[in-house]
């Protein structure tokens, strides 16, 4: 984010000001979620004590407060229950069309629905009942200072796209 | 410990809209209006301050805001001095907390001030900052920081499950703009036809411009005091706070608690708890201020608050039940849709309108209004907050 006129900020990027999570292990104890995403896996945590599966992933079990959790996979395909498209006037950092769907991940999924963007999708084509699948993409990286060194933390995030027929 | 009754004594607000003023300027304007409404009250008599604001930390770069507000308002709080953030329900939350403090005896006279400066020097930031208004790491990256997309999905589901028609939620906007036409402190003073609503710019189909409340700069203030102090301070009939409730069952949209998006169990639960605490039922409410962030929201709220059967909010509004003379006049000062929505100040504006209604001095007066209710949802429908007011103390 180039900020002109404020020399101190010139060329600096503020990740605490943007819409993506700070995913790096130096700042986030569920960094495994993002590492799994890189491998194409959509995951969350399950309690080893009581078996509770919860989404989003956590550090403790929300049922019994055990901190002994394991990673499990979520379905990567779902069906569109409702869809909304914004063809103009989308929030800054998104490109039109901004398509969001309420997606049913099916019975037996630890989380029944997710709200997600649907990308790689022509406008006005997605409808209720359509099948969609997980898609992972890179989002802007940001610097992290570790002692005297600055490293670039790369980031990914997920959306869904129309399932390949 | 014996519990005392808490009363709302008076209130005031500044002009809302896109203001040439900072948050702390507007807070002073609203506090002056409030004390002008209670001629016997001096700043030095106020022992508690709750400042309701969600975005002051981000858009006005001010943490620990309560001492700043106290100082500028000439207050020297000795019982409480804190900021409250429940986004859209921050103001109502301040009122609930002040009620508890007064009922417990910890505070005697609490000023609850809400305020936001949402319009930053560059316009792009106004919507962009909404990424902080929802569950950041999970929902912001999906583009629903600005909430119309979420409520458009909600509208579609309500239409699908209950047969609600586009014109029915358009009616909400027309009625609320009609009420707001005479409210000079609100963001807008205009009237709408159904053609205006249906032909307005599309925000996220099926929602158009007039189905959405605007973001606004603004501030509002009320005084909550013990019954004894309230009677000392004002000759007007006392208005008691009977109680309320606040529920939160989820945060990330994926954990939505209802069977579908038109089903709001967290609001049903809040209503049940609030009516139980206030010892009334929904039929006893004479006037309501419900959170019309979007026209469709009001329809679902009227159902879940028990004012009409589930699924019948569309026909209920269409038949004029929220107008003067209807079974539950709602948003009688214009609501969020016409007055605007400076998050932290909204619940306080609603409380002021209920106060005026129950004291017989509202602009759009409901005859003999004795019990009033305010409701807010927060964010993309992750929390519900209800406060109930009455001319009589709790039974
Ligand atoms: Zn557990």
């Amino acid at each position: 984010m180039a900020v002109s006129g404020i020399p101190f900020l010139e060329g600096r990027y503020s990740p605490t000001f943007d819409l993506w999570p700070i995913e790096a292990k130096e700042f986030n104890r569920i960094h495994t979620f993002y590492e799994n995403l890189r491998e194409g896996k959509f995951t969350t945590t399950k309690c080893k004590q009581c078996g509770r599966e919860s989404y989003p992933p956590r550090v403790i079990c929300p049922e019994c407060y055990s901190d002994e959790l394991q990673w499990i996979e979520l379905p990567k395909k779902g069906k569109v229950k409702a869809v909304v498209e914004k063809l103009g006037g989308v929030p800054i950092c998104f490109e039109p069309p901004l398509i969001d769907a309420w997606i049913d991940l099916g019975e037996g999924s630890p989380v029944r629905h997710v709200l997600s963007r649907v990308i790689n999708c022509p406008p006005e084509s997605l409808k209720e009942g359509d099948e969609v699948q997980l898609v992972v993409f890179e989002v802007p990286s940001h610097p992290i200072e570790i002692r005297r060194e600055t490293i670039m933390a790369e980031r990914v995030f997920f959306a869904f796209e129309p399932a390949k027929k | 410990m014996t519990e005392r009754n808490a009363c709302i004594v008076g209130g005031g607000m500044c002009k809302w809209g896109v203001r040439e003023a900072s948050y702390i300027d507007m807070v002073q304007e609203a506090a002056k209006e409030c004390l002008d409404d209670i001629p016997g009250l001096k700043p030095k008599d106020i022992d508690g301050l709750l400042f309701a604001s969600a975005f002051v930390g981000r858009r006005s770069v001010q943490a620990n805001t309560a001492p700043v507000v106290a100082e500028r308002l000439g207050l020297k709080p000795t019982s409480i001095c804190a900021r409250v953030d429940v986004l859209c329900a921050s103001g109502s939350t301040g009122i609930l907390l002040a009620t508890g403090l007064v009922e417990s005896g910890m505070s005697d006279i609490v000023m609850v001030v809400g305020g936001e400066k949402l319009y930053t020097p560059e316009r792009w930031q106004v919507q962009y900052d909404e990424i902080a208004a929802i569950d950041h790491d999970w929902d912001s990256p999906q583009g629903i920081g600005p909430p119309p997309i979420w409520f458009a999905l909600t509208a579609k589901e309500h239409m699908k499950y209950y047969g609600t028609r586009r014109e029915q939620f358009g009616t909400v906007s027309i009625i609320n703009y009609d009420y707001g036409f005479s409210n000079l402190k609100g963001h807008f003073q205009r009237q709408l036809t159904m053609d205006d609503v249906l032909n307005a710019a599309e925000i996220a189909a099926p929602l158009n411009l007039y189905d959405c409340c605007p973001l606004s700069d603004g501030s509002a203030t009320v005084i909550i005091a013990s019954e004894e102090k309230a009677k000392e301070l004002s000759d007007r009939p006392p208005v008691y706070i009977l109680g309320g409730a606040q529920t939160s069952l989820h945060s990330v949209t994926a954990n939505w608690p209802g069977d579908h998006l038109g089903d709001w169990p967290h609001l049903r639960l809040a209503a049940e708890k609030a009516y139980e605490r206030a010892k009334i039922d929904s039929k006893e409410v004479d006037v309501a201020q419900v959170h019309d962030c979007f026209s469709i929201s009001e329809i679902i709220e009227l159902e879940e608050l028990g004012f009409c059967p589930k699924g019948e909010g569309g026909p209920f509004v269409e038949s004029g039940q929220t107008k003067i003379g209807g079974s539950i006049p709602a948003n009688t000062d214009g609501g969020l849709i016409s007055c605007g929505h400076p998050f932290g100040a909204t619940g306080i504006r609603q409380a002021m309108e209920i106060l005026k209604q129950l004291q017989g001095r509202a602009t759009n007066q409901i005859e003999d209004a004795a019990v009033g209710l305010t409701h807010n949802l927060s964010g993309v429908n992750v929390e519900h907050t209800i406060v109930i007011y009455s001319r009589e103390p709790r039974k």
Side-chain angles (χ1 to χ4, degrees), chain A residues 128, chain B residues 151-170 198 204-207 260-263 296 299-300 303 311 314:
Chain A
E128 192 183 334
Chain B
F151 285 91
L153 287 168
T154 302
K156 286 192 165 179
E157 292 252 284
H158 201 268
M159 294 165 95
K160 178 169 119 186
Y161 285 93
Y162 302 110
T164 307
R165 287 179 298 105
R166 171 71 190 90
E167 292 75 12
Q168 291 171 331
F169 47 90
L198 299 181
L207 304 175
H260 52 79
L261 302 183
D263 174 40
I296 185 64
I299 285 186
I300 300 173
E303 298 169 356

Side-chain angles (χ1 to χ4, degrees), chain B residues 40 49 85 109 137 196 267 272 290 298 319 331 338 347 352 356 376-380 384:
Chain B
L49 169 71
D85 164 23
I109 303 176
D137 286 4
D196 293 332
L267 177 50
E272 182 192 318
V290 301
E298 178 169 330
S319 67
N331 292 326
S338 178
M352 283 172 52
K356 289 179 183 170
N376 302 106
L377 66 78
S378 308
V380 288
H384 287 279

Side-chain angles (χ1 to χ4, degrees), chain A residues 1 16-22 28 30 33-34 55-58 81-86 88 91-94 98 100-102 111-117 128 157-159, chain B residues 58 124-125 127-129 131 135-146 148-150 152-153 156-157 160-161 202-206 252-256 258-261:
Chain A
M1 187 176 61
T16 57
F17 197 70
D18 84 8
L19 73 165
W20 310 106
I22 296 185
N28 194 333
I30 59 148
F33 175 84
Y34 305 102
Y55 176 88
R58 317 171 188 217
K81 261 206 89 192
V83 58
V84 167
E85 303 193 4
K86 252 177 106 54
I92 195 163
C93 46
F94 294 99
L98 174 58
D100 267 296
W102 186 232
V111 59
R112 184 62 197 259
H113 298 98
V114 286
L115 174 99
S116 176
R117 280 199 302 147
E128 192 183 334
F157 210 75
F158 69 93
Chain B
R58 180 155 177 139
W124 63 264
Q125 200 188 343
Q127 292 289 335
Y128 177 79
D129 276 357
I131 59 172
D135 203 303
H136 177 272
D137 286 4
W138 301 95
D139 284 329
S140 294
Q142 305 297 2
I144 62 157
I149 287 177
W150 178 258
L153 287 168
K156 286 192 165 179
E157 292 252 284
K160 178 169 119 186
Y161 285 93
E202 183 182 292
I203 300 297
V252 175
T253 50
N255 291 321
W256 175 255
D259 288 342
H260 52 79
L261 302 183

Side-chain angles (χ1 to χ4, degrees), chain B residues 300-374:
Chain B
I300 300 173
E301 288 153 8
L302 293 167
E303 298 169 356
E304 304 292 14
L305 287 164
F307 297 132
C308 69
K310 184 62 201 168
E312 293 178 22
F316 185 76
V317 165
E318 201 170 34
S319 67
Q321 299 303 322
T322 61
K323 293 186 188 175
I324 293 176
S327 64
I328 181 72
N331 292 326
T332 45
D333 63 352
L336 282 73
I337 279 188
S338 178
C339 296
H341 188 26
F343 308 117
T346 284
I348 297 170
R349 168 190 60 74
Q350 294 175 323
M352 283 172 52
E353 172 63 9
I354 293 293
L355 169 71
K356 289 179 183 170
Q357 289 285 353
L358 302 194
Q359 290 181 332
R361 58 184 178 113
T363 305
N364 297 307
Q365 183 64 43
I366 308 307
E367 207 178 326
D368 292 329
V371 176
L373 174 149
T374 68

Side-chain angles (χ1 to χ4, degrees), chain B residues 230-291:
Chain B
K231 287 174 173 168
E232 273 175 41
L233 289 170
S234 173
D235 295 332
R236 297 191 181 114
V239 171
Y240 297 87
I241 301 169
L242 298 189
Q246 185 163 64
T247 57
S248 176
L249 304 181
H250 79 298
S251 172
V252 175
T253 50
N255 291 321
W256 175 255
D259 288 342
H260 52 79
L261 302 183
D263 174 40
W264 294 10
H266 40 349
L267 177 50
R268 284 198 294 283
L269 180 62
E272 182 192 318
K273 293 286 176 190
Y275 293 140
E276 191 181 292
R277 169 76 184 153
K279 298 185 178 165
I280 63 154
D281 89 39
S282 61
K283 287 179 202 70
E284 294 174 66
V285 180
D286 299 307
V287 55
Q289 308 297 311
V290 301
H291 199 86

Side-chain angles (χ1 to χ4, degrees), chain A residues 47 49-52 61 63-66:
Chain A
C47 177
Q49 290 297 327
C50 77
R52 168 76 184 269
C61 167
E63 190 74 33
C64 73
Y65 275 25
S66 164

